[in-house]
Amino acid sequence: MEPTSQPMTAGASPALHPCYSEQAHRHFARLHLAVAPACNIQCHYCNRKYDCSNESRPGVVSELLTPEQAAHKALAVGAAIPHLAVVGVAGPGDPLANPERLFATFRELAEKAPDLTLCVSTNGLALPEQVEELVKYHIGHVTITINCIDPDIGARIYPWIFWNHRRIRGRKAAEMLIAQQQKGLEMLIERGVLVKVNSVLIPGINDEHLHEVHRVVKAKGAFLHNIMPLIARPEHGTYYGLAGQVEPTAEQVRALQDACASESGETGMMNHCQQCRADAVGMLGQDRGAEFTLEKVAAMQVDWRAALAKRAAVRATIERRLAMQTQFAKAKSPIPLPARRPAIIAPETLRMAVGSNDGQTIDAHFGHAREFLIFDVSPTGMRLVARRGIDSNYCSGPTTCGDTTTVLASAIEALRDCAVLLCARIGFEPWRPLEDAGIQPNSEHAMEPIVDALLAVYREWCDGGRLETEPALVRSSA
Amino acid sequence: MAFRIVANCTNCWACLPLCPHEAIRAATPHFEIDTARCTECAGDYADPQCASICPVEGAIVDSTGQALNPPGSLTGLSPEFLTLPSTP
Ligand code: SF4
Ligand code: SF4
């Protein structure tokens, strides 16, 4: 079967792509395949014992897949998780330094899962020579890591590149890499491919310079520019880690992101992006990789035609819902209330439930939490209003799992007046029922202090105008 | 005249497709060079291909056991950095 058209549209528009749209990322799942082992450059924040640091946290090692294993894994995940919309290749090395493996994987997927959007993340060195091949596969999205456009700065980030059968070092290496990245960026834009640019913020090396990078990549048409913090720990054995290079603070990253956004007058900075693991499965921030190990996937029988149809149905539902939400937000009209919705408490107050074992950080898994802390956050401050226990925790292992639906229902009942639920992890099963009950599950703040997370979410809601447009979600249990 | 891959190798695959004589094999615990096939790239390339892309210092050695990429040559880290006790 030739992938002549893309019958389903998730990802075709950035609004529906979980990596690009804050709204969509809560609904669609994406999968990264570790199919590309080799790399053609060295970054000072990377240790090649581990996965590429541009796409994963340093120190992570993915199970390397052959193209056959990778395609089978994507089809198996796509059958088990019908929310799957995006499949990316991002590591352990640079996908474009492994073109045979990359395209063998994509060929198989183009045939058996033409609805899935394919993505690639690259350092850009081999990009110009691969662009034509890439666009053949309906690759809607490419991420390029661009840390600089000045070779003198580049020489402090990249010790060498492999180019035209030689190892090139120093400023000349950086110059060639930068030229290739910029050329690749331009070629993709010309061909109508969405490009996201990632930059690693390296204090004292490219922090000031990233303003310039932002200006240039936006001017060339990059859809998003995302600034990621450098991670440099000695235990990862990277040059920066061992040489004592400082990491930026969260405030530095945010300040730079805000400054860039306001300079370019756009909101194209991806604040919700996390540095996800390169083999993550699930919603952004929710890693279900353990369910799909090489061994487990190999044993799965996949009916890819049935899976394709199921994904189409799920996607249609989600898209309808997203479209409706967008309409409501535009019309600034409140979402119609089911009759049992309790009354509104005070305006601008957001009630949130928190799963915490230590009472300080968001460290509880939704399925294991025995009680939830209920907070009201308003412009005047935050208040712990209740501690609510639930009968039995939702997931207490395989022996009691026959009962999960009723336990989940009672957990939802206990949290009915909350608009947001913050936990360290929330499984796939309860996600939808929670949302359907009007409780937004959120595991993006795992292990963060409760106070910081509450403020961040509250800020997000205020900025997004949701406190005005959705007063229905601010409600009391009374 | 042949090179060898030794224990430092992280099995990253970078060298394998580059060898003009298909002398490199994806073996475990680490990749291997078939010394009967390796020509050190003489006549094919100015630089030996495997040693030119290998990201790991000391992973490829010549017939006398000398590392093609000695410590510090790729990372810029001097050897004493690398013996620092790692923090947990
Ligand atoms: S030196 Fe050349 S011929 Fe020998 S293994 Fe390396 S790439 Fe192959
Ligand atoms: S490039 Fe070096 S580390 Fe990678 S497989 Fe070859 S010898 Fe091993």
Side-chain angles (χ1 to χ4, degrees), chain A residues 122-184:
Chain A
T122 177
N123 62 45
L125 183 63
L127 186 52
E129 70 198 59
Q130 302 293 354
V131 164
E132 291 311 331
E133 191 64 21
L134 274 176
V135 294
K136 276 189 204 158
Y137 290 94
H138 300 273
I139 292 188
H141 314 89
V142 173
T143 306
I144 317 175
T145 300
I146 299 180
N147 296 321
C148 56
I149 47 172
D150 173 345
D152 288 317
I153 293 173
R156 299 173 66 194
I157 304 173
Y158 308 104
W160 57 263
I161 66 170
F162 181 78
W163 175 252
N164 200 12
H165 300 289
R166 310 194 82 140
R167 199 189 307 265
I168 317 264
R169 298 165 191 269
R171 189 180 190 280
K172 193 170 166 210
E175 203 173 283
M176 292 170 119
L177 175 62
I178 291 166
Q180 290 291 99
Q181 290 172 336
Q182 294 299 317
K183 188 170 165 200

Side-chain angles (χ1 to χ4, degrees), chain A residues 378-391:
Chain A
S378 72
T380 55
M382 62 178 72
R383 201 161 59 88
L384 176 66
V385 290
R387 287 172 177 271
R388 289 198 198 132
I390 49 172
D391 301 348

Side-chain angles (χ1 to χ4, degrees), chain B residues 3 18-21 23-24 33 37-41 48-50:
Chain B
F3 292 158
L18 297 179
C19 175
H21 300 291
I24 304 171
I33 293 176
R37 303 182 77 123
C38 171
T39 60
E40 300 187 3
C41 288
Q49 293 302 285
C50 56

